[in-house]
Amino acid sequence: MPANPTTIRMDDYTKAVLDMAAKYTNQTRSTFVLSVARERAEAIIQERYATMREVAPMILSPRDSKIFLEALERDYEPSPALLDLKKRYDSLDIVDET
């Protein structure tokens, strides 16, 4: 596969650290940077897939989605506990800028 040239600018310290790590692993700087970048990229992708596998079951079904949205659209009377919470919130002098 032909190489696609990429230029990476780095400070002297970073270059020295990469050169030392490449030397310790018997690689060129380019090979070392590519291998570490690929390794990190693969780890990020695996983390993302793992997160999606955990979150996906929590996504609402079409039926549950409809029920949830209908509940949001219904009028309601706040409970005494909610009114009490609002009184305590208002007394804290918190400015809500949302």
Side-chain angles (χ1 to χ4, degrees), residues 1 3 10-11 16 27-28 42 52 54 60 87 90 92:
M1 165 168 60
M10 64 186 84
D11 58 51
Q27 299 178 73
T28 65
E42 289 171 350
M52 291 309 294
E54 290 175 16
L60 296 175
K87 285 180 194 171
D90 288 343
L92 294 175

Side-chain angles (χ1 to χ4, degrees), residues 47-84:
E47 289 169 16
R48 173 73 174 164
Y49 285 150
T51 299
M52 291 309 294
R53 281 192 299 272
E54 290 175 16
V55 172
M58 290 187 251
I59 296 173
L60 296 175
S61 69
R63 177 183 165 277
D64 291 340
S65 230
K66 183 179 178 197
I67 292 169
F68 177 71
L69 292 173
E70 287 172 354
L72 289 177
E73 292 174 357
R74 263 187 253 129
D75 286 333
Y76 73 96
E77 290 296 320
S79 68
L82 187 57
L83 292 172
D84 183 49

Side-chain angles (χ1 to χ4, degrees), residues 2-96:
N4 293 327
T6 300
T7 302
I8 300 174
R9 299 188 198 306
M10 64 186 84
D11 58 51
D12 291 338
Y13 175 76
T14 301
K15 181 179 175 183
V17 169
L18 290 173
D19 285 344
M20 188 174 294
K23 179 182 173 186
Y24 290 159
T25 58
N26 297 315
Q27 299 178 73
T28 65
R29 181 188 322 131
S30 293
T31 303
F32 176 78
V33 169
L34 283 174
S35 68
V36 172
R38 184 181 307 115
E39 183 179 306
R40 181 67 180 124
E42 289 171 350
I44 289 169
I45 291 166
Q46 288 175 351
E47 289 169 16
R48 173 73 174 164
Y49 285 150
T51 299
M52 291 309 294
R53 281 192 299 272
E54 290 175 16
V55 172
M58 290 187 251
I59 296 173
L60 296 175
S61 69
R63 177 183 165 277
D64 291 340
S65 230
K66 183 179 178 197
I67 292 169
F68 177 71
L69 292 173
E70 287 172 354
L72 289 177
E73 292 174 357
R74 263 187 253 129
D75 286 333
Y76 73 96
E77 290 296 320
S79 68
L82 187 57
L83 292 172
D84 183 49
L85 182 63
K86 183 181 182 327
K87 285 180 194 171
R88 283 189 279 156
Y89 177 82
D90 288 343
S91 69
L92 294 175
D93 291 329
I94 295 174
V95 178
D96 185 357

